[in-house]
């Protein structure tokens, strides 16, 4: 009798947890983190190195049937260093953007602790930029015209522990930052983020 009751309890618990993964859910939270940005070009007219930036904002998650859609909205500070070959001048790229990742993912695990895999596009809107690097690169590339919007592809892994969220992602720039320059300039970003689920 005891074994039967124990088996029924385990079965009910398993079905309840599995149903929680299949039923539609909604979460909302805040997140902050660090990023490490670097420029990528088609040519070799300057040497690149990454610098540390930041991100802070909101995320939401809508899920069901083991998969979820996670839109996010961040204010992001992206920084990179470049050493221009002509005259060996050193310049720094510092700009602030409003980033909108649109992620699809799956959660691996049951209950309050689970791992995640996510991938999706990122749309960035540059809202402020330090003219020192943009002007200097414009002189070298014979263009002073840079886009205020960029597209990237991001992917990474994460872990959920109760209400805490942790992520490691790589963002691969797809858009050329210059409008009419001969030299393609794109940005790659590694991010480490910590989030908290509000509800």
């Amino acid at each position: 009798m005891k074994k039967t009751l124990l088996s029924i309890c385990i079965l009910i618990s398993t079905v309840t947890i599995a149903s929680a993964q299949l039923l539609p859910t909604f979460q909302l939270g805040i997140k902050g983190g660090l990023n490490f940005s670097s420029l990528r070009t088609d040519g070799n007219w300057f040497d690149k190195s990454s610098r540390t930036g930041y991100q802070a904002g909101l995320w939401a998650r809508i899920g069901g049937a083991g998969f979820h859609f996670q839109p996010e909205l961040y204010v992001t500070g992206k920084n990179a260093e470049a050493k221009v070959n002509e005259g060996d001048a050193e310049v720094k790229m510092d700009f602030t953007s409003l980033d909108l990742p649109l992620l699809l993912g799956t959660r691996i695990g049951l209950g309050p602790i689970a791992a995640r895999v996510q991938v999706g596009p990122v749309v960035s809107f540059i809202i402020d930029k330090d003219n020192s690097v943009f002007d200097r690169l414009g002189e070298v590339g014979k263009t002073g015209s840079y886009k205020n919007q960029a597209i990237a592809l991001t992917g990474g892994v994460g872990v959920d522990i109760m209400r805490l969220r942790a992520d490691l992602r790589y963002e691969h720039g797809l858009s050329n930052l210059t409008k009419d320059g001969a030299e393609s300039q794109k940005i790659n970003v590694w991010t480490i983020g910590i989030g908290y689920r509000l509800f």
Side-chain angles (χ1 to χ4, degrees):
M1 185 66 177
K2 289 182 179 180
K3 289 183 179 180
T4 303
L5 287 175
L6 181 60
S7 299
I8 292 173
C9 289
I10 292 173
L11 179 62
I12 291 173
S13 299
T14 303
V15 170
T16 301
I17 293 172
S19 297
Q21 292 286 343
L22 297 174
L23 295 176
T25 60
F26 176 78
Q27 298 179 10
L28 180 68
I30 56 175
K31 185 178 176 183
L34 298 175
N35 65 56
F36 306 91
S37 307
S38 61
L39 282 173
R40 188 176 84 253
T41 65
D42 291 339
N44 297 314
W45 56 274
F46 67 80
D47 298 321
K48 293 81 66 178
S49 62
S50 62
R51 292 174 60 216
T52 306
Y54 67 90
Q55 69 171 200
L58 301 171
W59 60 270
R61 187 184 299 169
I62 304 163
F67 295 92
H68 61 262
F69 171 60
Q70 184 166 312
E72 304 176 343
L73 185 64
Y74 300 120
V75 174
T76 305
K78 297 175 183 175
N79 309 310
E81 263 181 2
K83 184 174 182 181
V84 180
N85 292 338
E86 294 185 7
D88 290 334
E90 291 187 3
V91 295
K92 294 180 180 180
M93 176 190 70
D94 299 289
F95 68 88
T96 304
S97 64
L98 192 63
D99 291 357
L100 178 64
L102 301 171
L103 305 173
L104 292 176
T106 185
R107 193 170 182 266
I108 305 165
L110 298 175
I113 300 177
R116 284 177 286 106
V117 178
Q118 296 172 312
V119 65
V122 181
V123 182
S124 297
F125 303 92
I126 298 176
I127 55 179
D128 177 51
K129 57 190 175 186
D130 178 358
N131 289 328
S132 63
V133 69
F134 285 94
D135 288 349
R136 183 70 177 105
L137 295 182
E139 291 172 10
V140 175
K142 302 187 184 303
T143 176
S145 185
Y146 283 80
K147 296 178 181 178
N148 292 323
Q149 180 180 328
I151 304 292
L153 181 65
T154 189
V157 295
V159 63
D160 298 345
I161 303 174
M162 306 296 288
R163 288 182 172 266
L164 294 177
R165 306 289 182 263
D167 291 281
L168 174 64
R169 294 181 193 161
Y170 174 72
E171 182 178 314
H172 185 79
L174 301 177
S175 297
N176 181 7
L177 296 177
T178 63
K179 287 183 179 178
D180 52 5
E183 193 72 49
S184 175
Q185 301 164 29
K186 301 176 183 178
I187 189 166
N188 296 334
V189 186
W190 282 96
T191 61
I192 300 172
I194 300 293
Y196 182 79
R197 179 171 63 87
L198 299 175
F199 61 85

